[in-house]
Amino acid sequence: MVKHINTDNFEEEVIKAEGKVLVDFFATWCGPCTFEIPELKAYYAKHKDKIEIISIACNERNSEDWSNYIIQNGLPWTNLLNNEKDVDKNASVAYAVSAFPTKYILSPDKVVLAKFVGVDKELYTKLDELIK
């Protein structure tokens, strides 16, 4: 099932996630995004009881390619598609995503605790610090 996301339902999807959340804005055509999947999957497998991940694919050609990418890469967390053409309702525009990947760490109250742009090993250091 393809779940499309925009600013109308973004908050709802994030708020229903429990505890700390890592929101990952990415694209299937983004080399660095694909490069970091194995490390992100390993981290999630080890800490999925302490943090939720929500991946939001942006600017995709179509939902079928996106869905196939999720299956081929075995992404076990919540995956959403942000192909909103209306700039005022595009979640990646609303959350100031200027490059992929962009990750936000949110508190249980959904306050932004940290933002990481690009592949950054400090992400895991910060996550470790926050989930203790």
Side-chain angles (χ1 to χ4, degrees), residues 26-27 29-38 69 100-101 103 118-119:
F26 80 106
W29 44 263
C30 165
C33 299
T34 300
F35 173 80
E36 73 175 351
I37 287 175
Y69 180 90
F100 299 117
K103 292 179 177 53
V119 176

Side-chain angles (χ1 to χ4, degrees), residues 36-83:
E36 73 175 351
I37 287 175
E39 190 169 8
L40 193 57
K41 282 174 61 176
Y43 192 90
Y44 180 72
K46 186 175 178 181
H47 300 289
K48 63 185 170 188
D49 59 327
K50 298 175 186 160
I51 190 160
E52 289 197 44
I53 297 176
I54 299 175
S55 286
I56 302 173
C58 304
N59 305 327
E60 297 298 328
R61 285 188 301 258
N62 60 61
S63 59
E64 185 177 333
D65 287 350
W66 167 75
S67 184
N68 288 336
Y69 180 90
I70 300 306
I71 293 165
Q72 289 170 356
N73 287 284
L75 303 184
W77 47 77
T78 300
N79 291 279
L80 305 170
L81 181 61
N82 174 48
N83 266 357

